[in-house]
Amino acid sequence: MSAPAGTVKVSVRGLSVSYGAAAALKGLDLDIASGEILSIIGPSNSGKTSFLRSLNRMNELNPRARTAGTVLLDGADVVRDMSAEAVRKRIGMIFAMPVPLPLSIRDNITYGPRMAGVRDAAMLDGLIEESLRAAYLWEEVKDRLNMPGQKLSGGQQQRLCIARTLALKPDVILYDEPCSGLDPISTAKVEESMLSLRKSHTLVLVTNNTKQAARVGTRTAFFLMGEMIEVGPTSRLFTAPADKRTEDYIIGRFG
């Protein structure tokens, strides 16, 4: 499936993922354009998370996972041309449950850049503010940066994890059900952050909340039983889906 007009950031061809004898993804083809938010919807066990984890090679951490096919980032094969560390720096991931490091807010943000060799204090301070602002958290924590990140509320912890990812300057950000445990106010702030980040990043959002997919996605893909049933502009997919199975899922007939 081709991406909309614009530069293709991520190109996936023939992507298949299995865990033992169980197939999670079956020969997926999909292009993701620079500056878009691709929402991915579908019932449980449809391959959504396996797809995300294939993009930044996190499936390699599962000894039972077997992956075939290619994933290209700006034309470079993420397996043959790049180290796993380089891929994960350029393709960051936000998980359903926030897991801040057992460090201060400040050190949560600077941990990755320091590991990457950044030592300049002024540069690190700039990264802290820039990342927290982009995650819509700066105003809430700017006067308590030395407080442990684990003492923040759940919604704030999730935005801290987003800021920690942003500090590494990724090209692509993957979100795996980032708001599943958040209240409506925290969810709204995460979504505002996503819409703002689209100006400078490419985002892929896996969500079981079809309303969220409709709110933030520029395009939406529907996955079912390891296959991508269809993908297209979000407004079209939610109002006039091409496949009856997509319509049935959106209106709640299954899933």
Side-chain angles (χ1 to χ4, degrees), residues 217-231:
T218 51
R219 284 195 306 159
T220 297
F222 173 55
F223 282 28
L224 180 65
M225 297 180 66
E227 298 181 355
M228 185 175 66
I229 304 304
E230 65 176 297
V231 60

PDB file of all heavy atoms in Angstrom, residues 217-231:
ATOM      1  N   GLY A 217      -5.505  10.559  13.692  1.00  0.00           N
ATOM      2  CA  GLY A 217      -4.880   9.928  12.537  1.00  0.00           C
ATOM      3  C   GLY A 217      -5.090  10.693  11.241  1.00  0.00           C
ATOM      4  O   GLY A 217      -6.206  11.100  10.928  1.00  0.00           O
ATOM      5  N   THR A 218      -4.024  10.884  10.493  1.00  0.00           N
ATOM      6  CA  THR A 218      -4.182  11.412   9.138  1.00  0.00           C
ATOM      7  C   THR A 218      -4.599  10.280   8.203  1.00  0.00           C
ATOM      8  O   THR A 218      -5.372  10.496   7.268  1.00  0.00           O
ATOM      9  CB  THR A 218      -2.883  12.057   8.633  1.00  0.00           C
ATOM     10  OG1 THR A 218      -1.797  11.133   8.814  1.00  0.00           O
ATOM     11  CG2 THR A 218      -2.575  13.314   9.413  1.00  0.00           C
ATOM     12  N   ARG A 219      -4.056   9.086   8.444  1.00  0.00           N
ATOM     13  CA  ARG A 219      -4.534   7.869   7.789  1.00  0.00           C
ATOM     14  C   ARG A 219      -4.796   6.828   8.867  1.00  0.00           C
ATOM     15  O   ARG A 219      -4.243   6.875   9.962  1.00  0.00           O
ATOM     16  CB  ARG A 219      -3.499   7.307   6.807  1.00  0.00           C
ATOM     17  CG  ARG A 219      -3.393   8.045   5.491  1.00  0.00           C
ATOM     18  CD  ARG A 219      -2.632   7.200   4.465  1.00  0.00           C
ATOM     19  NE  ARG A 219      -1.327   6.772   4.963  1.00  0.00           N
ATOM     20  CZ  ARG A 219      -0.652   5.717   4.470  1.00  0.00           C
ATOM     21  NH1 ARG A 219      -1.177   4.970   3.518  1.00  0.00           N
ATOM     22  NH2 ARG A 219       0.547   5.414   4.955  1.00  0.00           N
ATOM     23  N   THR A 220      -5.626   5.862   8.519  1.00  0.00           N
ATOM     24  CA  THR A 220      -5.917   4.765   9.438  1.00  0.00           C
ATOM     25  C   THR A 220      -5.847   3.443   8.683  1.00  0.00           C
ATOM     26  O   THR A 220      -6.316   3.345   7.550  1.00  0.00           O
ATOM     27  CB  THR A 220      -7.301   4.927  10.087  1.00  0.00           C
ATOM     28  OG1 THR A 220      -7.315   6.116  10.875  1.00  0.00           O
ATOM     29  CG2 THR A 220      -7.638   3.747  10.988  1.00  0.00           C
ATOM     30  N   ALA A 221      -5.238   2.444   9.333  1.00  0.00           N
ATOM     31  CA  ALA A 221      -5.178   1.088   8.782  1.00  0.00           C
ATOM     32  C   ALA A 221      -5.962   0.160   9.702  1.00  0.00           C
ATOM     33  O   ALA A 221      -5.894   0.284  10.931  1.00  0.00           O
ATOM     34  CB  ALA A 221      -3.728   0.614   8.670  1.00  0.00           C
ATOM     35  N   PHE A 222      -6.693  -0.768   9.102  1.00  0.00           N
ATOM     36  CA  PHE A 222      -7.446  -1.758   9.866  1.00  0.00           C
ATOM     37  C   PHE A 222      -6.782  -3.117   9.706  1.00  0.00           C
ATOM     38  O   PHE A 222      -6.632  -3.621   8.594  1.00  0.00           O
ATOM     39  CB  PHE A 222      -8.899  -1.814   9.387  1.00  0.00           C
ATOM     40  CG  PHE A 222      -9.707  -2.923  10.010  1.00  0.00           C
ATOM     41  CD1 PHE A 222      -9.812  -3.041  11.391  1.00  0.00           C
ATOM     42  CD2 PHE A 222     -10.347  -3.863   9.213  1.00  0.00           C
ATOM     43  CE1 PHE A 222     -10.545  -4.070  11.973  1.00  0.00           C
ATOM     44  CE2 PHE A 222     -11.088  -4.899   9.782  1.00  0.00           C
ATOM     45  CZ  PHE A 222     -11.188  -5.003  11.167  1.00  0.00           C
ATOM     46  N   PHE A 223      -6.358  -3.694  10.831  1.00  0.00           N
ATOM     47  CA  PHE A 223      -5.723  -5.011  10.849  1.00  0.00           C
ATOM     48  C   PHE A 223      -6.717  -6.038  11.371  1.00  0.00           C
ATOM     49  O   PHE A 223      -7.496  -5.770  12.293  1.00  0.00           O
ATOM     50  CB  PHE A 223      -4.504  -5.019  11.769  1.00  0.00           C
ATOM     51  CG  PHE A 223      -3.258  -4.392  11.204  1.00  0.00           C
ATOM     52  CD1 PHE A 223      -3.308  -3.394  10.255  1.00  0.00           C
ATOM     53  CD2 PHE A 223      -2.006  -4.796  11.652  1.00  0.00           C
ATOM     54  CE1 PHE A 223      -2.154  -2.807   9.746  1.00  0.00           C
ATOM     55  CE2 PHE A 223      -0.842  -4.224  11.154  1.00  0.00           C
ATOM     56  CZ  PHE A 223      -0.916  -3.225  10.201  1.00  0.00           C
ATOM     57  N   LEU A 224      -6.654  -7.240  10.806  1.00  0.00           N
ATOM     58  CA  LEU A 224      -7.513  -8.331  11.267  1.00  0.00           C
ATOM     59  C   LEU A 224      -6.801  -9.657  11.024  1.00  0.00           C
ATOM     60  O   LEU A 224      -6.407  -9.958   9.896  1.00  0.00           O
ATOM     61  CB  LEU A 224      -8.855  -8.308  10.528  1.00  0.00           C
ATOM     62  CG  LEU A 224      -9.865  -9.389  10.915  1.00  0.00           C
ATOM     63  CD1 LEU A 224     -10.327  -9.214  12.364  1.00  0.00           C
ATOM     64  CD2 LEU A 224     -11.075  -9.355   9.969  1.00  0.00           C
ATOM     65  N   MET A 225      -6.597 -10.423  12.094  1.00  0.00           N
ATOM     66  CA  MET A 225      -6.019 -11.769  12.013  1.00  0.00           C
ATOM     67  C   MET A 225      -4.706 -11.794  11.225  1.00  0.00           C
ATOM     68  O   MET A 225      -4.476 -12.637  10.365  1.00  0.00           O
ATOM     69  CB  MET A 225      -7.031 -12.743  11.409  1.00  0.00           C
ATOM     70  CG  MET A 225      -8.276 -12.903  12.256  1.00  0.00           C
ATOM     71  SD  MET A 225      -9.482 -14.038  11.547  1.00  0.00           S
ATOM     72  CE  MET A 225      -8.579 -15.585  11.655  1.00  0.00           C
ATOM     73  N   GLY A 226      -3.853 -10.786  11.512  1.00  0.00           N
ATOM     74  CA  GLY A 226      -2.530 -10.771  10.911  1.00  0.00           C
ATOM     75  C   GLY A 226      -2.448 -10.160   9.537  1.00  0.00           C
ATOM     76  O   GLY A 226      -1.373 -10.157   8.924  1.00  0.00           O
ATOM     77  N   GLU A 227      -3.562  -9.645   9.029  1.00  0.00           N
ATOM     78  CA  GLU A 227      -3.572  -9.039   7.706  1.00  0.00           C
ATOM     79  C   GLU A 227      -4.068  -7.600   7.787  1.00  0.00           C
ATOM     80  O   GLU A 227      -4.882  -7.263   8.648  1.00  0.00           O
ATOM     81  CB  GLU A 227      -4.472  -9.833   6.749  1.00  0.00           C
ATOM     82  CG  GLU A 227      -4.010 -11.259   6.527  1.00  0.00           C
ATOM     83  CD  GLU A 227      -4.916 -12.006   5.567  1.00  0.00           C
ATOM     84  OE1 GLU A 227      -5.946 -11.432   5.151  1.00  0.00           O
ATOM     85  OE2 GLU A 227      -4.597 -13.159   5.231  1.00  0.00           O
ATOM     86  N   MET A 228      -3.560  -6.745   6.900  1.00  0.00           N
ATOM     87  CA  MET A 228      -4.090  -5.392   6.794  1.00  0.00           C
ATOM     88  C   MET A 228      -5.241  -5.426   5.802  1.00  0.00           C
ATOM     89  O   MET A 228      -5.040  -5.654   4.608  1.00  0.00           O
ATOM     90  CB  MET A 228      -3.017  -4.401   6.333  1.00  0.00           C
ATOM     91  CG  MET A 228      -3.516  -2.961   6.333  1.00  0.00           C
ATOM     92  SD  MET A 228      -2.204  -1.782   5.920  1.00  0.00           S
ATOM     93  CE  MET A 228      -1.886  -2.235   4.203  1.00  0.00           C
ATOM     94  N   ILE A 229      -6.442  -5.203   6.301  1.00  0.00           N
ATOM     95  CA  ILE A 229      -7.631  -5.290   5.458  1.00  0.00           C
ATOM     96  C   ILE A 229      -7.731  -4.082   4.534  1.00  0.00           C
ATOM     97  O   ILE A 229      -8.028  -4.211   3.348  1.00  0.00           O
ATOM     98  CB  ILE A 229      -8.899  -5.416   6.315  1.00  0.00           C
ATOM     99  CG1 ILE A 229      -8.793  -6.620   7.253  1.00  0.00           C
ATOM    100  CG2 ILE A 229     -10.145  -5.518   5.436  1.00  0.00           C
ATOM    101  CD1 ILE A 229      -8.522  -7.940   6.558  1.00  0.00           C
ATOM    102  N   GLU A 230      -7.469  -2.907   5.073  1.00  0.00           N
ATOM    103  CA  GLU A 230      -7.443  -1.699   4.244  1.00  0.00           C
ATOM    104  C   GLU A 230      -6.751  -0.574   4.990  1.00  0.00           C
ATOM    105  O   GLU A 230      -6.611  -0.592   6.206  1.00  0.00           O
ATOM    106  CB  GLU A 230      -8.843  -1.273   3.804  1.00  0.00           C
ATOM    107  CG  GLU A 230      -9.772  -0.830   4.918  1.00  0.00           C
ATOM    108  CD  GLU A 230     -11.109  -0.330   4.360  1.00  0.00           C
ATOM    109  OE1 GLU A 230     -11.097   0.689   3.622  1.00  0.00           O
ATOM    110  OE2 GLU A 230     -12.148  -0.937   4.664  1.00  0.00           O
ATOM    111  N   VAL A 231      -6.321   0.427   4.216  1.00  0.00           N
ATOM    112  CA  VAL A 231      -5.711   1.628   4.778  1.00  0.00           C
ATOM    113  C   VAL A 231      -6.103   2.797   3.895  1.00  0.00           C
ATOM    114  O   VAL A 231      -6.226   2.650   2.674  1.00  0.00           O
ATOM    115  CB  VAL A 231      -4.167   1.497   4.856  1.00  0.00           C
ATOM    116  CG1 VAL A 231      -3.554   1.281   3.487  1.00  0.00           C
ATOM    117  CG2 VAL A 231      -3.550   2.709   5.542  1.00  0.00           C
TER     118      VAL A 231
END
